[in-house]
Amino acid sequence: MKRRPPLRGAAKRQVTLRLDPDGFEKVREGGPGLQAWMNEALRKAAGLD
């Protein structure tokens, strides 16, 4: 069995969110990069960036 190499730096955590459909669809209209955009928005809201 092949094993994947160790992660470098901080690993990201997989989560499940329940969002309002209209808000989610509006964000999806922005095209690719949804996860990166959501991560950036969360970090900004938390005062990390």
Side-chain angles (χ1 to χ4, degrees):
M1 173 180 5
K2 287 187 177 181
R3 294 181 186 237
R4 71 178 192 202
L7 298 173
R8 294 182 182 175
K12 295 193 176 186
R13 179 169 291 174
Q14 183 176 348
V15 298
T16 300
L17 299 173
R18 292 183 183 266
L19 305 170
D20 293 330
D22 55 349
F24 181 71
E25 288 304 319
K26 188 68 174 175
V27 170
R28 279 186 71 191
E29 290 174 5
L34 172 65
Q35 289 180 13
W37 179 86
M38 290 181 81
N39 189 55
E40 184 179 326
L42 180 61
R43 291 182 60 81
K44 186 175 181 181
L48 298 173
D49 283 338

